[in-house]
Amino acid sequence: MSKFFIYSMASLLLCFSCKKDSQNTVPSLKEQLVALTDSVPGVVGIAFVSDDDTITVNNGIHYPMMSVFKLHQSLAVANKLSHSVAGLDSVIFIREKELDRDTWSPMLKEYGKCDFNISVGELVEYALVSSDNNASNLLFDYIVSPKETDVFVKSVAMDTTFNICYSEAEMHRDNNLSYINYSSPLSASLLIRQLFTSDMLCADAQNFIKSALAHVSTGQDRLGAPVSQVEGVQFAHKTGSGYRNNMGELIAHNDVGYFRLPDGRDYSLAVFIRDFTGSEDEASAVIADVSRCVYGYFRNNP
């Protein structure tokens, strides 16, 4: 067992034991989250947002978003097509040679052997549910550019501490560009909460995006792990995973999610990790530990 996991388990025990300090008080949620992240071999940013509270840890740092920006992209795409008759049902013609076979792309199992037609909605679904990089690149090429995405989302977002300049294709060619596509944890947490609690787009498009986020297949061991077997908890999220930099560190390992409990209370949570020296499984365990701590605290403090 690695030293990191020993530290992680010790911090997790602190989170759930509700051990009282010398002044006979229970540690606050922020204190518990700081304890969880203190020993992590990387920088961990956290943002928890509910109706009654907002808590952040290490929020004043730029965290590479990686595929989390596909959430932003989906909003910009839906907005761009809101003035067209077909909307997300619009169909585009793709040539097989436009697809990158050396990238994460589950859609290659169904497409890519020849030229094909595909709806924009299907591309959005691929980009969100399976975080498909080809789907994202095609949406940037045909519908809305990274810069246009940045401009639109900043026009509607509650917190504009993010930057979208480059596509997955560009970051694949130069991994260091990942650091320029960044977000604060609070900006991401507020955005996904806004999507689920406010009107941002036409109802059909917004519901489509919310449904896709509720069926995301990537990062099952991150934010959703603690609630995956809890009956009645609604969960939706978007992950982002990065390359390794010249130091051998994981550039990014992220998840931002929205939780609604059976009693109707809800919250959003973003956990972003940058420059992490451990494995992807260890980074996912950090995110799951934070989520478990927040869920336990929120559930027990109505």
Side-chain angles (χ1 to χ4, degrees), residues 237-256:
H237 69 134
K238 184 68 198 82
T239 58
S241 303
Y243 308 97
R244 287 195 181 268
N245 61 24
N246 294 334
M247 303 288 290
E249 303 163 329
L250 277 174
I251 291 176
H253 203 76
N254 309 324
D255 205 359
V256 55

Side-chain angles (χ1 to χ4, degrees), residues 174-188:
D174 182 354
N175 298 170
N176 288 325
L177 296 179
S178 305
Y179 286 101
I180 302 174
N181 274 13
Y182 66 79
S183 177
S184 72
L186 182 58
S187 177

Side-chain angles (χ1 to χ4, degrees), residues 44-238:
V44 183
I46 303 170
F48 160 80
V49 181
S50 69
D51 285 338
D52 302 319
D53 210 355
T54 297
I55 296 171
T56 63
V57 176
N58 295 329
N59 187 62
I61 296 171
H62 291 168
Y63 295 85
M65 275 196 284
M66 304 311 299
S67 289
V68 169
F69 79 69
K70 291 167 184 169
L71 165 60
H72 304 64
Q73 180 183 36
S74 69
L75 299 175
V77 167
N79 175 71
K80 183 71 174 286
L81 294 180
S82 64
H83 305 297
S84 69
V85 175
L88 291 176
D89 291 328
S90 301
V91 174
I92 55 180
F93 174 71
I94 306 297
R95 296 193 181 278
E96 177 271 334
K97 65 182 180 181
E98 296 178 70
L99 301 179
D100 182 358
R101 300 187 180 279
D102 185 29
T103 191
W104 172 253
S105 185
M107 71 179 286
L108 287 175
K109 294 179 181 179
E110 183 171 354
Y111 298 102
K113 295 182 176 136
C114 58
D115 300 344
F116 60 97
N117 290 307
I118 190 169
S119 73
V120 174
E122 190 172 1
L123 287 174
V124 170
E125 193 166 29
Y126 268 117
L128 292 177
V129 174
S130 58
S131 208
D132 193 289
N133 290 339
N134 272 314
S136 176
N137 291 330
L138 290 169
L139 289 170
F140 277 146
D141 289 343
Y142 281 88
I143 308 299
V144 59
S145 71
K147 183 59 179 177
E148 290 171 325
T149 296
D150 186 81
V151 169
F152 169 71
V153 181
K154 281 179 176 171
S155 74
V156 297
M158 298 175 65
D159 185 322
T160 59
T161 313
F162 64 87
N163 189 54
I164 301 172
C165 289
Y166 299 108
S167 66
E168 291 284 6
E170 291 169 310
M171 291 188 291
H172 184 68
R173 288 192 291 269
D174 182 354
N175 298 170
N176 288 325
L177 296 179
S178 305
Y179 286 101
I180 302 174
N181 274 13
Y182 66 79
S183 177
S184 72
L186 182 58
S187 177
S189 187
L190 286 169
L191 184 64
I192 199 167
R193 181 173 174 79
Q194 188 177 355
L195 173 66
F196 279 87
T197 61
S198 305
D199 294 331
M200 299 182 71
L201 305 163
C202 70
D204 287 347
Q206 189 157 335
N207 287 335
F208 180 88
I209 293 170
K210 290 193 290 186
S211 176
L213 294 173
H215 292 89
V216 166
S217 60
T218 57
Q220 298 300 300
D221 54 353
R222 301 185 201 180
L223 287 181
V227 300
S228 61
Q229 302 301 317
V230 181
E231 186 175 354
V233 174
Q234 299 177 34
F235 173 65
H237 69 134
K238 184 68 198 82

Side-chain angles (χ1 to χ4, degrees), residues 23-43:
Q23 299 189 357
N24 204 35
T25 58
V26 176
S28 68
L29 178 56
K30 180 158 186 172
E31 290 170 333
Q32 294 179 38
L33 294 176
V34 169
L36 274 173
T37 59
D38 267 352
S39 59
V40 173
V43 184

